[in-house]
Amino acid sequence: WLGIDEVGRDVFIRLVYGARISLVVAFCAATASMIIGVVIGAVAGYFGGWLDAFLMRLTDALLALPRLPVLIIMAAVDFGKLPVIGEMFDGADSSIVKMIIIFVVFSWMTIARLIRGAVLSLKEQEFILSAKTLGMQDSKIIIKEILPNVLSPVIVSVTLCVGHTILFEAALSFLGLGIQPPTPSWGNMM
C-alpha cells in the first residue's frame, strides 16, 4: 500500500512492526516509571521529614535537566562496554532494552511529584487518622487506603508518559541513537 523502500522492503509492514516496537518501548517505560514514581512519591509524601526533603531534591534535580539533550547523551553511551551492565546488552534487542532503561530513569519524576502532592493532602483525612488509631501499619495504610485514592491522576500521567516516550524514542531513532536497524521503528523509518 505504501510501496517499498530503497532495499525492497514493504513500507506498510515495516510501519506496522515499527508501531509494535515503539509501543512496547513506550508501555514498558511508562509502567516501570509509574511503579518507581508511585513508590517514591508515596513514601516521600506519607513519611515527610528528611526523607521527603531528600527524595524531592533528587526529583527536582532530575527534573531540572533538559530532557532531550540528556537522552541524547545517555543514548550515545555504549552500555555494552560497562563492566557489570554490559552482559545485559549482548543480544539483538539490546537497543530496545537500552531505550527502555533510559526512558525509565528520566521519566518517573513527574509521577512522583504528582503522587507526593496527592498523598500530602490525603494523609490528613479522617479515614487515614482512623486507620492509624486502629493500629494499621504504615505500609498497609499506603497500599490499601492512599494508593486507591490517587489512582486517577496516575492513569492520566502514565497515558501522557506513553505519548512523550513515543516521541522521544522516535527522535532518538531518527538521530541514529535509538532502536538500531534492521529492527523497524517509527524514528529510524523517517
Side-chain angles (χ1 to χ4, degrees):
W1 290 347
L2 301 177
I4 58 173
D5 62 0
E6 64 276 352
V7 185
R9 299 175 293 201
D10 186 4
V11 175
F12 178 73
I13 297 299
R14 286 184 53 82
L15 187 68
V16 170
Y17 281 112
R20 185 185 68 170
I21 297 296
S22 296
L23 289 172
V24 163
V25 168
F27 280 112
C28 289
T31 303
S33 297
M34 176 195 64
I35 293 169
I36 294 170
V38 165
V39 168
I40 290 176
V43 167
Y46 186 78
F47 292 111
W50 66 270
L51 185 62
D52 178 34
F54 172 74
L55 290 174
M56 287 304 107
R57 294 310 72 78
L58 174 68
T59 303
D60 291 340
L62 288 174
L63 276 173
L65 296 173
R67 184 177 251 173
L68 189 58
V70 170
L71 289 176
I72 290 171
I73 291 170
M74 292 301 295
V77 172
D78 186 11
F79 287 174
K81 294 183 180 176
L82 296 175
V84 177
I85 304 171
E87 291 129 19
M88 282 179 20
F89 297 97
D90 287 338
D93 296 333
S94 63
S95 63
I96 296 172
V97 174
K98 180 180 176 182
M99 286 293 100
I100 291 171
I101 290 172
I102 290 171
F103 290 131
V104 167
V105 169
F106 292 104
S107 62
W108 59 267
M109 292 86 61
T110 54
I111 298 171
R113 296 290 294 178
L114 184 68
I115 295 300
R116 177 187 173 264
V119 169
L120 283 174
S121 68
L122 281 174
K123 77 176 188 177
E124 301 300 326
Q125 298 290 326
E126 289 85 15
F127 68 97
I128 301 297
L129 294 175
S130 66
K132 286 181 184 178
T133 305
L134 291 173
M136 199 173 199
Q137 295 175 348
D138 289 335
S139 60
K140 287 187 179 180
I141 292 174
I142 292 172
I143 292 170
K144 291 186 177 184
E145 302 293 336
I146 293 178
L147 289 184
N149 288 305
V150 297
L151 191 60
S152 56
V154 169
I155 292 171
V156 172
S157 182
V158 168
T159 304
L160 293 173
C161 184
V162 168
H164 289 137
T165 304
I166 290 172
L167 288 174
F168 284 123
E169 184 272 324
L172 290 175
S173 294
F174 177 74
L175 294 173
L177 299 170
I179 308 298
Q180 297 300 314
T183 305
S185 169
W186 285 347
N188 65 18
M189 286 181 67
M190 282 193 273

